Amino acid sequence: MKKPLAIALVLMTPLLGVTANAHASGSYLSDTQVNTVMAALPAPSAPGSAEDLADRAATDRAFAERSAADFNQAKQEDDFDAFAFAPVIGVDFRAEKLPHVAALFKEAETETKDAVDLSKNHWKRPRPCPPASACALHPEKAAKKSFGYPSGHASRAAVDAILLAQLFPQDADALMQHARDIGWRRVVKGVHTLQDIYAGREFGQALAIDMLASPAMQHDLAAAREELRAAGLAPKSP
């Protein structure tokens, strides 16, 4: 079966070599890379347009038809990191056991959040507000939330999945699906539209591919692989 483009790019990236375009501080993305990824993101639907209204109506339906299990899981994922992918990788994939892995993902997630915040504040797309949702019941709290486009959760989940696939290539499909599920549950929770989620996935994929071109990232991935081997968590040879 032919692999989806995103997964194929993930698995071939180490073969492309690295470029010296990361900051000297050891971060994974340069300002130029972030700006380029932001510029490639299409504009969201015009406010009040038929497309915009349909997008928001889809969130209203997903929220109204939510299952208790999905909604509870969505609430648990309000704060998540790469170790939320342990159901795919295994119960021993824990931050306290893997400090090098934890540091790599903390840096990647911080840089992703910074890039997402820049893009959100550029587009300023209001979040959805389904009837009877927390937004509708507590508008004063909703007013303090960030804008909706692109979704930060979808972006960070995509980055995490792509980077984790470098460490666990045999789980690439399941990791990407787990990332998609995290994004979808933001719609179920009523805090994002599908358009926000799709944009976040594309944004996160582009950021992750740029991160993998960073010498700092490649250095940290090598350290992470060694740590996983020492912990007995490295992928088994075929």
Side-chain angles (χ1 to χ4, degrees):
M1 179 184 294
K2 187 176 181 181
K3 285 188 176 294
L5 177 59
I7 296 175
L9 285 172
V10 168
L11 298 179
M12 73 181 288
T13 299
L15 303 177
L16 301 179
V18 298
T19 57
N21 54 3
H23 292 304
S25 64
S27 60
Y28 303 144
L29 294 168
S30 69
D31 292 341
T32 298
Q33 287 173 314
V34 171
N35 289 335
T36 299
V37 172
M38 284 179 56
L41 195 64
S45 300
S49 65
E51 185 177 69
D52 179 62
L53 295 176
D55 191 34
R56 294 175 187 280
T59 296
D60 291 352
R61 288 193 300 273
F63 179 79
E65 297 169 3
R66 67 195 182 278
S67 70
D70 275 351
F71 191 65
N72 288 334
Q73 184 64 31
K75 289 191 287 186
Q76 291 177 25
E77 290 166 348
D78 277 346
D79 294 311
F80 82 97
D81 59 20
F83 295 95
F85 287 75
V88 176
I89 296 167
V91 294
D92 291 329
F93 185 64
R94 302 197 305 272
E96 63 270 21
K97 294 183 63 175
L98 303 164
H100 285 293
V101 174
L104 182 158
F105 282 96
K106 181 176 177 58
E107 177 63 26
E109 289 161 359
T110 296
E111 292 188 38
T112 301
K113 182 182 184 302
D114 289 345
V116 167
D117 287 347
L118 284 171
S119 193
K120 284 186 175 187
N121 290 329
H122 173 74
W123 293 114
K124 293 182 169 58
R125 189 185 196 215
R127 289 175 181 259
C129 189
S133 68
C135 163
L137 297 174
H138 303 285
E140 72 286 355
K141 293 181 180 179
K144 297 178 181 179
K145 285 187 172 291
S146 64
F147 294 107
Y149 185 93
S151 161
H153 274 62
S155 299
R156 288 191 291 114
V159 168
D160 285 346
I162 288 172
L163 299 184
L164 284 167
Q166 296 292 309
L167 302 172
F168 302 95
Q170 77 283 3
D171 294 323
D173 292 314
L175 290 165
M176 295 302 293
Q177 183 59 55
H178 195 76
R180 287 190 289 270
D181 290 342
I182 289 173
W184 164 244
R185 283 189 286 268
R186 301 301 284 170
V187 181
V188 170
K189 193 169 185 282
V191 296
H192 276 295
T193 71
L194 287 168
Q195 194 173 139
D196 298 337
I197 300 304
Y198 295 152
R201 289 175 186 165
E202 292 296 323
F203 199 65
Q205 288 172 10
L207 291 175
I209 289 168
D210 277 347
M211 287 182 189
L212 288 169
S214 159
M217 169 60 77
Q218 292 298 324
H219 174 273
D220 291 350
L221 279 172
R225 289 188 185 99
E226 286 300 318
E227 185 172 68
L228 289 167
R229 275 194 283 271
L233 293 173
K236 295 179 181 178
S237 301

